[in-house]
Every structure is written in structure tokens, then in C-alpha cells.
């Protein structure tokens, strides 16, 4: 979590966005590892892995946007 976020967010929306951000980041890391030469097995479908990486990146961007929107609203109140 970034410095502008509270340590224990009160908002359920913030918690949900942080969970999505964290889980998507872990998923992105594991999908990217599949493309490394030592991790790649002959049956690795690079096209599928690429789609998964794109989906993870989208989820990360979505969660980050939600957090910015929520914290901007909360800071303006």
C-alpha cells in the first residue's frame, strides 16, 4: 500500500480494492514466471499466458483506479 493510504482502511471498498490489487499482482508474477526459459515446459501455451498477463494487468489498473477514486473522495470530505 502506498503512503497516502491509511494502515487500516475503514472503507470496505478500499479493502476490496487492495485485495484485488494484491491478488492480481501475485497472479501477474506467477504468469510472467511461466515465460522464463527455466520455468517454461513444452506444453506451456504462451498465447494463453499472454492473455492471463493482460487480464492481471487490467485487474491491477482497475483496482488502482478504484483506490484513487475512493481516496480522492474521502480526502475531499
Amino acid at each position: 500500500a502506498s503512503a497516502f493510504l491509511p494502515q487500516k482502511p475503514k472503507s470496505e471498498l478500499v479493502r476490496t480494492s487492495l485485495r484485488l490489487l494484491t491478488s492480481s499482482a501475485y497472479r501477474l508474477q506467477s504468469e510472467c514466471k511461466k515465460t522464463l526459459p527455466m520455468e517454461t515446459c513444452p506444453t506451456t501455451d504462451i498465447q494463453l499466458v499472454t492473455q492471463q498477463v493482460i487480464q492481471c494487468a487490467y485487474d491491477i489498473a482497475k483496482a488502482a483506479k478504484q483506490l484513487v477514486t475512493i481516496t480522492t473522495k474521502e480526502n475531499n470530505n
Side-chain angles (χ1 to χ4, degrees), residues 31-77:
E31 292 297 335
C32 287
K33 272 186 182 174
K34 292 178 188 174
T35 66
L36 297 174
M38 59 193 170
E39 300 275 339
T40 305
C41 65
T43 59
T44 300
D45 182 346
I46 294 299
Q47 195 170 8
L48 180 62
V49 171
T50 303
Q51 288 172 346
Q52 292 299 318
V53 167
I54 291 168
Q55 183 61 51
C56 294
Y58 174 80
D59 288 342
I60 289 169
K62 188 168 99 176
K65 184 175 187 251
Q66 286 172 350
L67 285 172
V68 169
T69 303
I70 294 162
T71 52
T72 301
K73 281 181 188 170
E74 286 180 356
N75 291 340
N76 288 338
N77 287 343

Side-chain angles (χ1 to χ4, degrees), residues 7-47:
Q7 285 299 336
K8 291 192 175 183
K10 297 178 196 82
S11 165
E12 186 56 42
L13 278 173
V14 172
R15 283 196 293 271
T16 302
S17 297
L18 286 172
R19 276 195 295 271
L20 177 61
L21 195 56
T22 306
S23 64
S24 299
Y26 281 121
R27 253 183 60 220
L28 180 61
Q29 184 182 29
S30 75
E31 292 297 335
C32 287
K33 272 186 182 174
K34 292 178 188 174
T35 66
L36 297 174
M38 59 193 170
E39 300 275 339
T40 305
C41 65
T43 59
T44 300
D45 182 346
I46 294 299
Q47 195 170 8

